[in-house]
Amino acid sequence: MPERVVITGGAGFIGSHLCARFLNVGYEVVCIDNLSTGSKDNIASFLDRPDFFFIKHDVTEYIYVDGPVDLVLHFASPASPADYLDLPIQTLKVGSLGTHKAMGLAKAKSARFLLASTSEIYGNPLQHPQSEEYFGNVNPVGLRGVYDESKRFAEAMVMAYHRNHGVSTRIARIFNTYGPNMRLDDGRVLPNFFSQALQKKALTIYGDGSQTRSFCFISDIVEGIFRLCRTEYHDPVNLGNPEEISIKDLAEMIVNLTGTGAEIAINHPLPDGDPQVRKPDISRAMDVLGWKPVVGREDGLKITLDYFKKKVSEIH
Ligand code: UDP
Protein backbone atom coordinates (compact mmCIF):
# COMPACT_ATOMS: atom_id res chain seq x y z
CA MET A 1 0.00 0.00 0.00
CA PRO A 2 1.43 3.41 -0.92
CA GLU A 3 1.53 6.01 1.81
CA ARG A 4 -1.18 8.69 1.60
CA VAL A 5 -0.61 12.36 2.26
CA VAL A 6 -3.28 15.01 2.66
CA ILE A 7 -2.09 18.47 1.61
CA THR A 8 -4.36 21.35 2.56
CA GLY A 9 -3.71 24.33 0.30
CA GLY A 10 -2.37 21.83 -2.22
CA ALA A 11 -3.34 24.05 -5.17
CA GLY A 12 -1.31 26.96 -3.81
CA PHE A 13 2.25 27.93 -4.59
CA ILE A 14 4.17 25.77 -2.11
CA GLY A 15 1.35 23.22 -1.78
CA SER A 16 1.38 22.37 -5.48
CA HIS A 17 5.13 21.74 -5.43
CA LEU A 18 4.61 19.45 -2.45
CA CYS A 19 1.94 17.53 -4.38
CA ALA A 20 4.49 16.98 -7.16
CA ARG A 21 7.21 15.94 -4.75
CA PHE A 22 5.10 13.39 -2.89
CA LEU A 23 3.65 11.97 -6.13
CA ASN A 24 7.21 11.58 -7.44
CA VAL A 25 8.24 9.42 -4.51
CA GLY A 26 5.19 7.17 -4.76
CA TYR A 27 2.69 8.65 -2.33
CA GLU A 28 -1.01 8.96 -3.02
CA VAL A 29 -1.83 12.64 -2.69
CA VAL A 30 -5.12 14.07 -1.48
CA CYS A 31 -5.12 17.78 -2.25
CA ILE A 32 -7.69 19.92 -0.43
CA ASP A 33 -8.14 23.53 -1.46
CA ASN A 34 -11.01 26.01 -1.63
CA LEU A 35 -9.16 27.84 -4.44
CA SER A 36 -9.54 31.20 -2.70
CA THR A 37 -5.89 32.04 -3.39
CA GLY A 38 -4.73 28.75 -4.94
CA SER A 39 -5.35 27.78 -8.55
CA LYS A 40 -6.34 24.65 -10.40
CA ASP A 41 -3.69 25.55 -13.00
CA ASN A 42 -1.04 24.59 -10.44
CA ILE A 43 -2.38 21.03 -10.18
CA ALA A 44 -3.77 20.62 -13.72
CA SER A 45 -1.06 18.15 -14.69
CA PHE A 46 -1.97 15.80 -11.79
CA LEU A 47 -5.76 15.81 -12.09
CA ASP A 48 -5.98 12.75 -14.35
CA ARG A 49 -3.60 10.63 -12.30
CA PRO A 50 -5.11 7.72 -10.38
CA ASP A 51 -2.84 8.50 -7.38
CA PHE A 52 -4.04 12.12 -7.10
CA PHE A 53 -7.32 13.26 -5.56
CA PHE A 54 -8.58 16.81 -5.48
CA ILE A 55 -11.23 17.89 -2.99
CA LYS A 56 -12.54 21.43 -3.26
CA HIS A 57 -13.23 22.27 0.34
CA ASP A 58 -12.77 25.03 2.90
CA VAL A 59 -10.75 23.43 5.70
CA THR A 60 -12.28 25.68 8.34
CA GLU A 61 -15.23 23.26 8.05
CA TYR A 62 -15.04 19.60 9.09
CA ILE A 63 -12.60 17.72 6.84
CA TYR A 64 -13.75 14.33 5.62
CA VAL A 65 -11.21 12.06 3.93
CA ASP A 66 -12.08 8.47 3.10
CA GLY A 67 -9.52 5.73 3.85
CA PRO A 68 -6.16 5.78 5.57
CA VAL A 69 -3.96 8.85 5.87
CA ASP A 70 -0.29 8.68 6.89
CA LEU A 71 0.65 12.34 6.77
CA VAL A 72 -1.20 15.68 6.88
CA LEU A 73 0.53 18.82 5.60
CA HIS A 74 -1.42 21.94 6.56
CA PHE A 75 -0.56 24.59 3.97
CA ALA A 76 -3.95 26.24 3.45
CA SER A 77 -3.82 29.99 4.09
CA PRO A 78 -3.60 33.25 2.24
CA ALA A 79 0.13 33.97 2.55
CA SER A 80 0.96 37.14 0.70
CA PRO A 81 0.43 40.41 2.58
CA ALA A 82 -1.93 41.68 -0.13
CA ASP A 83 -4.01 38.49 0.11
CA TYR A 84 -4.30 38.40 3.85
CA LEU A 85 -5.20 42.08 3.94
CA ASP A 86 -7.99 41.31 1.46
CA LEU A 87 -9.06 38.22 3.39
CA PRO A 88 -8.37 39.07 7.03
CA ILE A 89 -11.14 37.01 8.60
CA GLN A 90 -10.57 34.01 6.33
CA THR A 91 -6.87 34.20 7.27
CA LEU A 92 -7.66 34.16 10.98
CA LYS A 93 -10.13 31.33 10.47
CA VAL A 94 -7.84 29.07 8.47
CA GLY A 95 -4.99 29.46 10.97
CA SER A 96 -7.27 28.75 13.92
CA LEU A 97 -10.33 26.69 12.87
CA GLY A 98 -8.52 25.22 9.85
CA THR A 99 -5.56 24.10 11.95
CA HIS A 100 -7.97 22.58 14.45
CA LYS A 101 -9.75 20.61 11.70
CA ALA A 102 -6.47 19.51 10.10
CA MET A 103 -5.13 18.40 13.50
CA GLY A 104 -8.39 16.57 14.16
CA LEU A 105 -7.95 14.70 10.88
CA ALA A 106 -4.36 13.74 11.78
CA LYS A 107 -5.45 12.56 15.22
CA ALA A 108 -8.40 10.52 13.88
CA LYS A 109 -6.21 8.85 11.24
CA SER A 110 -3.12 8.47 13.50
CA ALA A 111 -1.23 10.42 10.85
CA ARG A 112 1.92 12.47 11.16
CA PHE A 113 1.37 16.23 10.82
CA LEU A 114 3.30 19.23 9.55
CA LEU A 115 2.22 22.86 9.91
CA ALA A 116 3.32 25.48 7.42
CA SER A 117 4.27 28.28 9.76
CA THR A 118 6.09 31.44 8.82
CA SER A 119 8.84 33.95 9.53
CA GLU A 120 5.95 36.34 10.30
CA ILE A 121 5.94 34.66 13.70
CA TYR A 122 8.90 36.98 14.41
CA GLY A 123 7.01 40.12 13.32
CA ASN A 124 9.26 43.16 12.89
CA PRO A 125 12.18 41.40 14.55
CA LEU A 126 14.45 42.94 17.15
CA GLN A 127 16.82 39.97 16.86
CA HIS A 128 18.77 39.51 13.65
CA PRO A 129 19.06 36.94 12.18
CA GLN A 130 16.03 35.18 13.66
CA SER A 131 16.53 31.89 15.47
CA GLU A 132 13.69 29.67 16.64
CA GLU A 133 14.26 30.71 20.27
CA TYR A 134 13.25 34.28 19.46
CA PHE A 135 9.66 34.97 20.51
CA GLY A 136 9.14 37.78 18.03
CA ASN A 137 7.87 41.33 17.97
CA VAL A 138 4.30 41.20 16.71
CA ASN A 139 1.60 43.85 16.86
CA PRO A 140 -1.63 41.89 17.32
CA VAL A 141 -3.83 44.79 16.20
CA GLY A 142 -1.73 45.91 13.22
CA LEU A 143 -2.82 45.00 9.68
CA ARG A 144 -0.43 42.03 9.58
CA GLY A 145 -1.74 40.79 12.91
CA VAL A 146 -4.35 38.65 11.17
CA TYR A 147 -1.67 36.47 9.60
CA ASP A 148 0.95 36.66 12.33
CA GLU A 149 -1.45 35.84 15.13
CA SER A 150 -3.28 33.12 13.23
CA LYS A 151 0.03 31.37 12.63
CA ARG A 152 1.13 31.90 16.23
CA PHE A 153 -2.18 30.42 17.36
CA ALA A 154 -1.70 27.55 14.89
CA GLU A 155 1.71 26.75 16.37
CA ALA A 156 0.19 26.74 19.88
CA MET A 157 -2.60 24.42 18.66
CA VAL A 158 -0.11 22.03 17.08
CA MET A 159 2.02 21.84 20.22
CA ALA A 160 -1.11 21.23 22.33
CA TYR A 161 -2.14 18.31 20.09
CA HIS A 162 1.38 16.99 20.33
CA ARG A 163 1.61 17.32 24.09
CA ASN A 164 -1.95 16.36 25.04
CA HIS A 165 -2.90 13.87 22.33
CA GLY A 166 0.54 12.55 21.39
CA VAL A 167 0.14 13.46 17.70
CA SER A 168 3.46 13.36 15.87
CA THR A 169 3.72 16.98 14.75
CA ARG A 170 6.23 19.26 13.04
CA ILE A 171 6.35 23.02 12.53
CA ALA A 172 8.19 24.55 9.56
CA ARG A 173 8.75 28.31 9.85
CA ILE A 174 9.02 29.20 6.20
CA PHE A 175 10.78 32.42 5.16
CA ASN A 176 10.23 34.28 1.85
CA THR A 177 10.04 31.69 -0.92
CA TYR A 178 9.82 32.18 -4.68
CA GLY A 179 9.61 30.25 -7.91
CA PRO A 180 7.18 28.91 -10.51
CA ASN A 181 3.48 28.68 -9.52
CA MET A 182 3.47 32.03 -7.71
CA ARG A 183 0.49 34.09 -8.78
CA LEU A 184 1.48 37.00 -11.00
CA ASP A 185 -0.93 39.23 -9.08
CA ASP A 186 -0.33 37.95 -5.54
CA GLY A 187 1.13 41.32 -4.56
CA ARG A 188 4.43 39.99 -3.27
CA VAL A 189 7.62 41.69 -4.20
CA LEU A 190 8.95 39.22 -6.79
CA PRO A 191 5.74 38.77 -8.81
CA ASN A 192 5.30 42.56 -8.73
CA PHE A 193 8.86 43.32 -9.82
CA PHE A 194 8.92 40.67 -12.56
CA SER A 195 5.52 41.67 -13.84
CA GLN A 196 6.47 45.37 -13.85
CA ALA A 197 9.92 44.88 -15.40
CA LEU A 198 8.61 42.59 -18.14
CA GLN A 199 5.94 45.14 -19.04
CA LYS A 200 8.49 48.00 -18.89
CA LYS A 201 6.61 49.64 -16.05
CA ALA A 202 8.43 51.24 -13.12
CA LEU A 203 9.22 48.86 -10.27
CA THR A 204 7.32 49.96 -7.17
CA ILE A 205 9.59 50.08 -4.14
CA TYR A 206 7.66 50.54 -0.91
CA GLY A 207 9.54 52.94 1.38
CA ASP A 208 13.17 53.65 0.57
CA GLY A 209 13.98 50.03 -0.27
CA SER A 210 16.49 49.65 2.58
CA GLN A 211 14.35 46.91 4.15
CA THR A 212 15.80 43.44 3.67
CA ARG A 213 14.46 39.98 2.92
CA SER A 214 16.13 36.60 2.34
CA PHE A 215 14.65 34.69 -0.59
CA CYS A 216 14.69 30.92 -0.90
CA PHE A 217 14.02 29.05 -4.11
CA ILE A 218 11.04 26.71 -3.98
CA SER A 219 12.93 23.45 -4.60
CA ASP A 220 15.08 24.10 -1.52
CA ILE A 221 12.03 24.75 0.66
CA VAL A 222 10.33 21.59 -0.63
CA GLU A 223 13.42 19.56 0.19
CA GLY A 224 13.53 21.01 3.71
CA ILE A 225 9.83 20.24 4.29
CA PHE A 226 10.26 16.72 2.91
CA ARG A 227 13.16 16.03 5.26
CA LEU A 228 11.32 17.51 8.24
CA CYS A 229 8.40 15.13 7.58
CA ARG A 230 10.80 12.23 8.03
CA THR A 231 12.09 13.31 11.44
CA GLU A 232 10.49 13.07 14.84
CA TYR A 233 11.48 16.64 15.63
CA HIS A 234 8.59 18.57 17.14
CA ASP A 235 9.92 22.06 17.87
CA PRO A 236 9.76 24.73 15.14
CA VAL A 237 12.41 24.67 12.43
CA ASN A 238 13.29 27.71 10.30
CA LEU A 239 13.46 27.00 6.57
CA GLY A 240 14.81 29.73 4.33
CA ASN A 241 17.85 31.02 2.56
CA PRO A 242 20.05 33.22 4.75
CA GLU A 243 21.36 35.23 1.76
CA GLU A 244 19.92 38.63 2.64
CA ILE A 245 19.29 41.44 0.15
CA SER A 246 17.74 44.91 0.35
CA ILE A 247 14.59 45.43 -1.70
CA LYS A 248 16.36 48.19 -3.64
CA ASP A 249 19.20 45.85 -4.64
CA LEU A 250 16.64 43.21 -5.53
CA ALA A 251 14.87 45.67 -7.84
CA GLU A 252 18.17 46.43 -9.59
CA MET A 253 18.86 42.75 -9.98
CA ILE A 254 15.46 42.14 -11.58
CA VAL A 255 15.91 45.05 -13.99
CA ASN A 256 19.31 43.69 -15.06
CA LEU A 257 18.07 40.14 -15.34
CA THR A 258 15.09 41.05 -17.50
CA GLY A 259 17.21 43.45 -19.58
CA THR A 260 14.17 45.63 -20.16
CA GLY A 261 15.64 48.83 -18.73
CA ALA A 262 12.54 49.38 -16.59
CA GLU A 263 12.74 52.24 -14.11
CA ILE A 264 12.75 51.93 -10.36
CA ALA A 265 10.38 54.16 -8.39
CA ILE A 266 11.09 54.44 -4.67
CA ASN A 267 8.95 55.70 -1.81
CA HIS A 268 5.61 54.14 -2.59
CA PRO A 269 3.81 53.95 0.77
CA LEU A 270 5.37 51.37 3.08
CA PRO A 271 2.66 48.97 4.28
CA ASP A 272 1.76 49.04 7.97
CA GLY A 273 4.09 46.85 10.05
CA ASP A 274 6.39 45.98 7.13
CA PRO A 275 9.39 44.27 8.80
CA GLN A 276 12.62 46.24 8.35
CA VAL A 277 14.85 43.14 8.26
CA ARG A 278 14.40 39.41 7.86
CA LYS A 279 16.96 36.63 7.69
CA PRO A 280 16.71 33.10 9.03
CA ASP A 281 19.21 31.49 11.34
CA ILE A 282 19.12 27.98 9.85
CA SER A 283 21.52 26.26 12.29
CA ARG A 284 18.70 24.10 13.59
CA ALA A 285 17.66 22.92 10.12
CA MET A 286 21.29 22.17 9.33
CA ASP A 287 21.65 20.09 12.53
CA VAL A 288 18.29 18.32 12.50
CA LEU A 289 17.79 17.84 8.75
CA GLY A 290 21.31 18.07 7.33
CA TRP A 291 19.71 20.67 5.06
CA LYS A 292 20.72 23.98 3.59
CA PRO A 293 19.64 25.77 0.42
CA VAL A 294 21.62 24.86 -2.68
CA VAL A 295 20.05 27.09 -5.35
CA GLY A 296 21.76 30.48 -5.59
CA ARG A 297 19.75 33.66 -6.08
CA GLU A 298 20.81 34.24 -9.67
CA ASP A 299 19.96 30.68 -10.77
CA GLY A 300 16.64 30.69 -8.92
CA LEU A 301 15.66 34.07 -10.35
CA LYS A 302 16.46 32.95 -13.90
CA ILE A 303 14.13 29.95 -13.61
CA THR A 304 11.48 32.21 -12.10
CA LEU A 305 11.95 34.76 -14.89
CA ASP A 306 11.10 32.11 -17.51
CA TYR A 307 7.93 31.28 -15.59
CA PHE A 308 6.84 34.91 -15.25
CA LYS A 309 7.62 35.63 -18.92
CA LYS A 310 5.06 32.99 -19.80
CA LYS A 311 2.53 34.36 -17.30
CA VAL A 312 2.93 37.93 -18.57
CA SER A 313 2.56 36.79 -22.20
CA GLU A 314 -0.77 35.17 -21.25
CA ILE A 315 -2.24 38.50 -20.14
CA HIS A 316 -1.46 40.24 -23.44
N1 UDP B 1 7.67 45.44 -1.65
C1 UDP B 1 8.02 46.49 -2.48
N2 UDP B 1 7.33 46.64 -3.66
C2 UDP B 1 6.34 45.80 -4.05
C3 UDP B 1 5.98 44.73 -3.20
C4 UDP B 1 6.67 44.60 -2.01
O1 UDP B 1 8.92 47.28 -2.19
O2 UDP B 1 5.77 46.02 -5.14
C5 UDP B 1 8.43 45.27 -0.41
C6 UDP B 1 7.57 45.13 0.85
O3 UDP B 1 7.29 46.41 1.39
C7 UDP B 1 8.46 44.31 1.75
C8 UDP B 1 9.24 43.42 0.77
O4 UDP B 1 9.12 44.05 -0.50
O5 UDP B 1 9.37 45.13 2.42
C9 UDP B 1 8.69 41.99 0.68
O6 UDP B 1 7.31 42.08 0.50
P1 UDP B 1 6.38 40.83 0.22
O7 UDP B 1 5.01 41.37 -0.01
O8 UDP B 1 6.96 40.01 -0.86
O9 UDP B 1 6.38 39.94 1.52
P2 UDP B 1 6.82 40.10 3.06
O10 UDP B 1 8.21 39.65 3.11
O11 UDP B 1 6.68 41.55 3.46
O12 UDP B 1 5.88 39.23 3.78
Side-chain angles (χ1 to χ4, degrees):
M1 279 272 282
E3 289 208 70
R4 279 183 108 213
V5 57
V6 169
I7 306 178
T8 77
F13 164 43
I14 299 183
S16 59
H17 285 275
L18 288 169
C19 290
R21 177 60 186 262
F22 279 90
L23 286 170
N24 282 344
V25 294
Y27 276 72
E28 273 186 18
V29 172
V30 180
C31 164
I32 306 180
D33 205 299
N34 70 350
L35 302 178
S36 74
T37 57
S39 163
K40 260 199 165 172
D41 290 350
N42 291 338
I43 52 167
S45 59
F46 316 136
L47 286 172
D48 289 337
R49 291 178 62 140
D51 48 359
F52 183 79
F53 306 86
F54 173 65
I55 303 173
K56 186 169 184 292
H57 178 68
D58 176 347
V59 296
T60 64
E61 305 284 346
Y62 183 86
I63 304 171
Y64 177 77
V65 176
D66 207 9
V69 175
D70 302 288
L71 178 62
V72 175
L73 308 182
H74 183 37
F75 276 70
S77 178
S80 98
D83 284 345
Y84 55 73
L85 296 185
D86 273 354
L87 303 166
I89 296 168
Q90 293 89 330
T91 301
L92 283 160
K93 282 177 72 181
V94 77
S96 52
L97 305 177
T99 303
H100 184 225
K101 300 293 179 285
M103 284 287 359
L105 175 70
K107 176 169 167 271
K109 303 281 187 181
S110 303
R112 292 168 286 138
F113 184 94
L114 183 141
L115 171 71
S117 186
T118 167
S119 54
E120 282 287 329
I121 292 287
Y122 305 120
N124 189 7
L126 304 177
Q127 177 184 299
H128 195 63
Q130 295 80 52
S131 71
E132 293 86 348
E133 278 89 29
Y134 180 48
F135 294 159
N137 177 38
V138 169
N139 174 8
V141 295
L143 290 178
R144 285 182 177 243
V146 294
Y147 186 61
D148 303 9
E149 296 297 0
S150 83
K151 289 293 187 182
R152 289 168 74 95
F153 179 93
E155 287 199 5
M157 172 80 75
V158 167
M159 290 312 288
Y161 265 77
H162 174 62
R163 294 187 180 116
N164 281 38
H165 291 310
V167 179
S168 168
T169 58
R170 292 133 197 85
I171 296 173
R173 288 187 180 155
I174 301 168
F175 284 64
N176 293 67
T177 303
Y178 69 98
N181 293 7
M182 292 184 99
R183 252 178 37 233
L184 188 62
D185 65 348
D186 86 358
R188 280 189 266 214
V189 67
L190 276 169
N192 276 9
F193 283 1
F194 272 120
S195 158
Q196 290 157 346
L198 289 169
Q199 297 177 81
K200 295 198 177 62
K201 295 180 183 160
L203 275 64
T204 52
I205 293 193
Y206 302 160
D208 63 5
S210 63
Q211 70 270 35
T212 68
R213 292 295 185 271
S214 307
F215 295 92
C216 190
F217 190 63
I218 182 66
S219 57
D220 282 328
I221 286 293
V222 166
E223 180 62 26
I225 292 164
F226 191 75
R227 290 191 191 194
L228 185 54
C229 288
R230 299 192 149 184
T231 67
E232 281 300 329
Y233 192 83
H234 307 297
D235 288 330
V237 178
N238 286 342
L239 294 177
N241 189 325
E243 263 187 60
E244 187 180 10
I245 186 170
S246 74
I247 294 303
K248 193 160 179 292
D249 289 348
L250 180 72
E252 279 164 16
M253 209 173 157
I254 302 289
V255 170
N256 291 335
L257 207 66
T258 54
T260 56
E263 282 172 27
I264 295 176
I266 61 166
N267 285 330
H268 285 263
L270 190 66
D272 170 71
D274 199 279
Q276 185 55 37
V277 290
R278 184 182 289 155
K279 169 180 169 162
D281 176 338
I282 59 164
S283 329
R284 186 176 284 180
M286 286 164 68
D287 284 353
V288 174
L289 311 175
W291 172 90
K292 64 176 188 333
V294 295
V295 181
R297 189 186 294 138
E298 181 129 5
D299 289 343
L301 286 177
K302 279 186 184 150
I303 299 170
T304 310
L305 169 62
D306 288 340
Y307 166 77
F308 279 124
K309 268 187 184 159
K310 196 164 156 280
K311 285 277 151 195
V312 168
S313 73
E314 284 166 10
I315 54 173
H316 288 297

